[in-house]
Amino acid sequence: MTSSTAQGAPGRQGRFRKSWLAGAALIVAVGVGVTGCATTETPQSSSQGAAAGATAEAFTAQTAAGAQVAVPGSKPSVLFFFSIECGACGPFTKALAEVQQSAPEAANYVAVDVASYETAPEVEAFLTGNEASSLAYTVDTDASLITAHQINQLETTVVLDASGTEVFRSVAPSVAQIRDALTEVAAQ
């Protein structure tokens, strides 16, 4: 009887250990998923991005007022890739709108929603709620924009020159970095 009890104990410990490891793996997986939306990664320039120097796929965005915005267009474009479900994306849309207000003629400012199931009214409500209703927007319903720009993280900002060539890329860049990128592209 002593031998069967001794043999039973390691079995319970083994099951406990496996359950604990599975729980820890789940916590790590959830943590990785959440950090994709709330990153503090150091912004990097386009020369280090995956699509450096690539020419953009043409598309048309719209404003809440119904105006059409062609990208690429007659001036540079700032593209911000987001989802309305991303909590960290809201404050950045507001910051991008502030850049737009300070230099409206410097570029086309476009928020690109990467969640194909989010609707135009939902995007407009998100932008309005974050004081960014002046931004043009589009919903990437077929993932063609995230594919063309090789976007793998929310809060990615891409600056294109007027011909559609990528000149800057960063995850959650500062307002100063976006302004600097626009100044550089204007000097070209």
Side-chain angles (χ1 to χ4, degrees):
M1 197 164 197
T2 305
S3 63
S4 70
T5 305
Q7 290 175 353
R12 282 190 296 256
Q13 281 182 323
R15 284 192 301 271
F16 173 76
R17 186 173 294 137
K18 286 179 185 176
S19 296
W20 185 86
L21 288 174
L26 179 62
I27 290 169
V28 168
V30 169
V32 168
V34 169
T35 60
C37 181
T39 182
T40 57
E41 178 179 316
T42 303
Q44 296 186 3
S45 70
S46 166
S47 63
Q48 297 167 339
T55 302
E57 174 180 327
F59 70 95
T60 302
Q62 67 182 29
T63 65
Q68 302 293 305
V69 177
V71 177
S74 60
K75 55 187 173 182
S77 298
V78 179
L79 308 179
F80 173 63
F81 293 85
F82 77 104
S83 168
I84 62 174
E85 297 172 337
C86 168
C89 293
F92 190 80
T93 56
K94 181 178 179 178
L96 185 57
E98 290 171 9
V99 173
Q100 179 188 36
Q101 289 169 0
S102 69
E105 296 305 315
N108 294 316
Y109 300 87
V110 180
V112 180
D113 190 336
V114 302
S116 62
Y117 52 86
E118 293 174 350
T119 65
E122 290 172 325
V123 172
E124 288 178 13
F126 172 82
L127 294 174
T128 299
N130 287 288
E131 300 175 36
S133 60
S134 61
L135 298 176
Y137 68 89
T138 190
V139 178
D140 192 10
T141 57
D142 61 0
S144 61
L145 296 175
I146 62 172
T147 301
H149 293 284
Q150 299 179 15
I151 303 301
N152 58 19
Q153 191 168 2
L154 293 173
E155 297 186 270
T156 297
T157 300
V158 175
V159 177
L160 308 172
D161 66 13
S163 70
T165 301
E166 182 178 309
V167 296
F168 175 83
R169 165 186 295 258
S170 181
V171 175
S174 68
V175 167
Q177 288 173 307
I178 295 171
R179 286 186 176 135
D180 289 348
L182 289 173
T183 300
E184 287 180 33
V185 74
Q188 294 178 350

